[in-house]
Amino acid sequence: GWVPVYLIFRSSVCQALVLEIGETVQILEKTEGKSSSYVHLKKSTVSNRGLCETVVPLEDPIITETTSTLQEWGVLWKQLYVKHKVDLFHKLRHVMNELIDLRRQLIQGHLAQDQTREIKRHITVRLDWGNEHLGLDLVPRKEFEMVDQDHISVSELYKLCSSSVRSQGDNMRQRHGDGCHVPVQHHLFINLKSFTYNTISEDADVFFSLYDTRDNKQISEKFMVRLNKNGGPKNPEKVDRLCALFTDLSSKDLKRDLYIVTHVIRTGRMLLNDSKKGLPHVQYRRPYGCAVLAMSDVFHTITDLKEEKDFVLKVYTCNNENEWFQIHENIIRKSSTKYSAPSTNYGLIISLQLLRGELDQIRRENQAVFSRALAITRKLGFPDVIMPGDTRNDLYLTLERGDFERGGKSVQKNIEVTVYVLYADGDTLKDCISLGSGEPNTSEHRSFVLYHNNSPRWSEMIKLPIPIDRFRGSHLRFEFRHCSTKDKGEKKLFGFAFTPLMREDGTTLSDESHELYVYKCDENTTFSNQGLYLSMPCCKEDFNSCPNLPSTLPFQRNPKETFWVSTQLCSTKLTQNVDLLALLNWKAHPDKVLDILGQLRHINGEEIVKFLRDVLDTLFCLLDDNTDKYGPLVFQSLVFIINLLRDSRFYHFRPVMEAYIQNHFAGALAYKELIRCLKWYMDRSAEVVRQDHIQEAMRALEYLLKFIVQSRILYSRATCGMEEELFRASIQELFQSIRFVLSLDSRSSETLVFTQAALLNSFPDIFDELLQMFTVQEVAEYVRGTLGSMPSTVDIGQSMDVVKLQSIARTVESRLFFFPESRSILLPVVLHHIHLHLRQQRELLICSGILTSIFSIINTSAMESSVQEEVEMMVESLLDVLLQTLLSIMSKSQSLETARGQRCPQCTAEITGEYVSTLLSLLRQMTEVHFHHLLNNFHSKEELKEFLLKIFCVFRNLMKLTIFPRDWSVMRLLTSHVIVVTTQYLSPALHKNFSEADFDFKVWNSFFSLTVLYINQPSLQLEPLTQAKRKKVLDKYGDMRVMMAYELFSMWQKLGENKPHFIPGMMGPFLGVTLVPQSEVRNIMIPIFHDMMDWEQRQNGNFKLVEAELMDKLESMVSDGKGDEPTTSSLFVCSLLEKIEQETWRETGISFVTSVTRLMERLLDYRECMKGDEMENKKIGGSSNLMNFYKSEMNKEEMYIRYIHKLCDLHLQAEDYTESAFTLLLYWELLHWEDRPLREFLHYPTQSEWQRKEGLSRKVLHYFNKGKCWEYGISLCRELAFQYETLYDYQSLSWIRKMEAAYYDNIIEQQRIEPEFFRMGFYGRKFPFFLRNKEFVCRGYDYERLEDFQQRMLGEFPQAIAMQHPNQPDDALLQSDAQYLQIYAVTPVSDITDVPQLERVPERIKSFYRINNVTRFHYDRPFHKGPKDRENEFRSLWIERTTLILSRPLPGISRWAEVERRELVEVSPLENAIYVVENKTQELRTLISQYQHRQHHGNINPLSMLLNGVIDAAVNGGIARYQEAFFDKEYINSQPEDTERIAQLNDLMQEQVHILGVGLAVHEKLVHPEMRPLHKKLIDQFHMMRAGLHQVSGSTCWVNSPRGILTTHSHMSPESVRLIHRHSPMNLQGSIRQSSSSLSSHTSSEAGGNLVILTDGLMGEPPEDTAHMQVGLTCTHTHTQPSPSSSSLSSIRSTSSQIINSAPSSARGHFLMHFDAFHHQNSDPPPALPIRSLRKSPLHPIPGSPTSPQSALGGSNSTLSGSASSGVSSLSESNFGGQYPDPPVRNDAMEPVPSHLWTPEEYLDSPYLHIHYSGPEAESLDQVRPFHYRNPVSHLHPHSHPHDSLPPVSFPSAALM
């Protein structure tokens, strides 16, 4: 048994199976006991018993397939959800549920055959849909079931896979076949949903019909709905059932200008608006309104079949009842004067649906629709397809119009017509009148009444479904009544008319309008004796045919009154055709037979097929009566009728014809005349010019032969086989005539072409008839002779060529060809024709179809011995030409694709696929014997070589070109199987004929290329497949890669001494084989590699060639995605090394293999990095790693340059333009300014080296510009300028100089965002080789903070674990099989301090150098050294500073740079304090500058928070704690070496106080009124802070300090003080050095290295305490160091807070004046530089305590900071371009200033000097003028500007670093 399990079973028993729900197991043995209710037993069969036996359940194969497919989908379905493919996820769930339901229905089995078939169709459609959308393999099917590829030919399999080819074939058969395409029928479903009408309030009849406006006629019956006065159905049972189906609409009908026309007839009063007109009990049918709907609108709305849509039809009323008969036409024509819309907006709401197909099929598919009492509404007349057995007998009667007398009345009559159908005996026929489908038939019909109209036009159609047996003798009577609206409302009879339904000659009433006589009568007239009036003439024609009428008639005709009706008959039993009746009754007029037969072809086809059997009986009766006289005409008539059945309308009558021949035909002698006539026609084809009748006879050949054969059988039966020889002879002669017709040269006669084509088309249809009379061999001989008589392809035109091949194709598909004895006769001639066509490359598609049919037959008969001979025949005839054809098709296909991007019809994938499958079919049929014969039959080795090259080339193309789509894995695997088997048969011939002395490189090379391509085929790589699919492939074919690898190895060994021909050329391809992830294949390849190395060593003594070849191929292969994990590749390397160990050239071999291994590792890393979609950093890292390897270790310049450009492209994708520029510079550096020609390479054209380098320079400049690194671009501009100047190319020189100038402008004017820097550590063996256990520093993106960066990196390495501490990892972590990622922020340490000339450069310029061209970064860790100082923790708080030194500066060729080494230093508490104060000062300076330059739009909060943080922290013990810690005398005395640093800290504190003042001044101007209290609080706290600082500063004296200030005891004069700058603030030593910090960036006059500040005699009297005065003026250079310690506010003017408060006020005042004196000369503020917030390390969050160096100033719980910011060169908003008055002398500097006396202008007017480089002077870019200290009033004279020069400020070169 076979058991599917419906329970998850987990057991503690060790021998138990762990099963999931739905899994199946095979029961091998059953023990006694209870059987579990959780399992379901299924019957099954076991094939291939033994270890690998297969269990197949005994159920419908489609159930088995559905089960396995659902299991496979289940896994993939869940993955869709994970991959966020939600739409497909929901669709697939829906389809899976449907499949489960369909499968259940199929398993239950309570279905009819057609229902089962329909369910299978639904299942397969859904299976194929799901497989396609999930990317699974296509399943080839036949009759809904999977095919077994072993049981069909490859060609058939291809046909099944290729639906496009199949449909093409179907179209071809329809186009060139027997023209029996059956038109599709369409049906219109209409459902009346509601009819809202407010003004009628009466019952109404609504009639729907289809109307053709082009022909102005109704084309369908009417669908009638009876409604009550409320608008609901009159019959309550019809609620929601008012629907009809308009059937039998052809495609032609749908193209007509069709409208749905709706007429509404009310039943009630005569006039709606006059209640007096008409009594309530008298009901009249009165016209009300009409609505139309264009079908074109319907088709536009209903796009999909079976889609139901609602439409609204507005009902219009007729303005004049005389126009009622054409109201619909007026509405369609929009003749709006003739109709009007009712005032209320109402109408009909209908829903429409279009259905197509046979009515029975629609009935099955739409049972819900048909269950709603659907009214079938037919076409008027027959549909396009008339079905046998479709019995119909309908007469459609239209009451057209009448003309009646007024009859002496003053007003016209209201005339109503009543219609009766009466039988010959006078009885009224019951229920023989139908007003429309949807309502029951009636026995009488009353027309609607037109008000006051004596010439009414009704145009009202009714249907008369009269039984056929009652038709003859029946007549219609029309009674006319005047409907009075007065008195009693009587309907008074005043006349009648009548007409019989059938004429005396047996024909029915003709389809035309009939003018009937109106006879007078009155209300008392009775029509009990209808014979009274039937004897009278009913119409004019009747009157003329009755000359002997009696003078007195029972009724008097009113000559002035007439009545018109029209009729249309639609009957399968009755005819209106006189000629047909004459033929059927020929014996009545034997003298007219010839005329009657001549008229036959003019009879309507509908009439003939209705009476087909009778007509045929008549014809053969005539033939028997007088063969000589009637023979030719009977033959013609028979041909006409046979061809009539070729018409698609009558195609369904062919079975009727066949049934007639088999069962009713009795013309035993007819065959003689038929053969004679047929032969006579054929023999005349050479002479006659008009050949229409001959062609018709040729088309009728099939049925003529059927008649001939049946006639002969009847004759033979009757005479016991007499005249057999005569019959055979006549058939022989007939075939001679056929051969004669086909052998005629038709090139000059178009009519003859059509005759031959007609004959060839019909010819294959006669085989089955001949087989009834002759043996298979005899028929085959006839056919062979006929096919052989056709002229060759050269002698006939293309159209004839196609017909001939189609005839051959149908011959091959015929039953005759299935007999082996006939195939042996026919196959040679068929192959001959195909061979000729393939040689000439003509009609390839049809030829392939013929071959497919042949292989299909041969495959099914494969067991028969004759098949081997047939295959032999085909190999000899076709194999070579097939190969040639395929090569031709493939080459055309490729050349056309590359040339024009399009293909010619002969070279489509379809035709290639056809011929590939044909070739594979042939090769698959060939056995060893066939190959042996083939290879031995070549006349020379040259022929064999040509054949081998062809077949190898075709096989290679099969693997290179995508012949079969990716999901055709069945075809792909079968192709591979055929190729490997064929190769195994061919390789011995290769070795036998082309080895040793006869060695031929070309053939061997072709063979090796084929094997390599074969093994690398994607379709053979089993590793990515699911386990089930892999097992399936291995069970069927084994691993075909291994089979081919053994073949390769075997042939390589057989090469012997010829191996060097393939070294190193085959090294690369063979390497490709080793990259296949299959261990056995690799093991096979190891000896080959060893062999190649051995031969190379023997020949050249080294591996240079092998190495070069191998490196190139390795790169291209791994880049293309070949190769797998390094672990498996290393197994191959180890095995190869083992073999090398035993060789004498062991060392060089090992070195070579090691080198290859290292490249392999990097390549695989590179490929792994390139796989992701968004992993830019990984891709860039992998590319640069590989690029550096090629340069440093491999010395492969070309590969190095390729990867430069790959890396550049990656940078451009990520928009890293600076990195793109640096990357391209690597190639730029390799080039020289020379005219050496360079070849075309990558995207570069052929050009000189100078041109390429110039082009590259321009591109690099473009990227530097986009990356805003203009400083780097400037040096390149200069380089280019030098080259242009050398060549006197002044145009280019002008351009480059302008660009350089623009770069300077950009540097000064444009804002640049400063990036953060992050240190990353990648630990663990799971990281790629180039990252593993290394650390890097990365330049972040603009505005990217640490959290964002961490998220981004974890996104790129989703498997990585983030480390939460900054400690260095241990060895265990480094060697672990995981990924650990350690990230924290670091601060750049620039070398800008080495450039003292940058002292006075604006922040905007300096900030660039702080963060660019940086190789050193640091981060800090705080700790307490020794015992913690409990009184003041700052005294013991040390910092451990780690500095990372990179292998290359940032920015560079990547945003990452590897850390080369690290340095560790400890920072003392005092140094830390200096660093912290300096950083906070820089942060303040930057933010205040931004507010001064309006960079923060109105939001003052950041400034408020920062000021509050600093001032509050300082007041609450921040700076004060530093003062306590380091300004204490005890500390100063105990640490004499720190004196200079203490002074520096004091200076920094003073500077910070001043900047806080400026900040508060800015805050004063911008603060919101609501925030004033906070501002006041800040000012108060600021004064407290300042006072506290002054007290400490005032009490501290550094007399002996090297940084001490010169004390003067004499009267101060301009000459009396020389302040010499050393460190800030001043020193007497003469050397100029850089300061750690300063408030002002001084413009100084440098002479002899001393900075001299001159004062004049305006100081006044010296104060008494001048001996103790200390000038605390900070007067330093601004440095290029990036840290906050060196950046400063650029100013020379200083306020009172800048001067030590012990100085006299007069001195302070004079200092201020003198600094102001030159300030106006450099007053324009430079543009603001970008924000640079204080960096904080994320690693050590420190609480706001004394131990936190930041908390002392920041007042916030911040982390340790470590970098400079790009400050700005000014904190002032003042316009320094104006003249400055002397500031007032102040005497209050010693005491704290009360807040009410404090003014913001004190700080806003602070005279900070602005250094700028964009003034009006042209020379201002190159030098800064010296400053001369003059009399304070000198600046008032604008013309007293000094002209002395200053030495130029030198910048660090912006060259490429």
Side-chain angles (χ1 to χ4, degrees), residues 1130-1196:
S1130 61
L1131 293 175
F1132 169 74
V1133 170
C1134 294
S1135 307
L1136 188 57
L1137 285 173
E1138 281 175 23
K1139 288 192 81 71
I1140 292 171
E1141 285 287 347
Q1142 298 144 22
E1143 299 291 346
T1144 51
W1145 38 270
R1146 185 172 69 85
E1147 285 183 16
T1148 51
I1150 290 171
S1151 164
F1152 160 67
V1153 172
T1154 308
S1155 173
V1156 171
T1157 309
R1158 296 196 62 209
L1159 175 60
M1160 185 77 172
E1161 284 174 342
R1162 281 159 178 76
L1163 283 170
L1164 288 169
D1165 267 353
Y1166 169 74
R1167 190 186 70 190
E1168 192 59 36
C1169 293
M1170 299 305 280
K1171 276 181 185 173
D1173 292 334
E1174 300 168 2
M1175 312 305 178
E1176 293 300 336
N1177 285 317
K1178 281 171 76 176
K1179 291 179 181 179
I1180 289 166
S1183 300
S1184 54
N1185 172 56
L1186 193 53
M1187 179 185 79
N1188 292 332
F1189 181 76
Y1190 275 121
K1191 182 187 179 185
S1192 57
E1193 298 194 34
M1194 305 298 293
N1195 200 19
K1196 289 226 168 220

Side-chain angles (χ1 to χ4, degrees), residues 185 403 682 777 808 1017 1072 1176 1857:
Q185 293 298 300
D403 278 334
M682 287 181 182
Q777 288 92 337
I808 292 173
Q1017 275 184 104
E1176 293 300 336
M1857 303 177 185

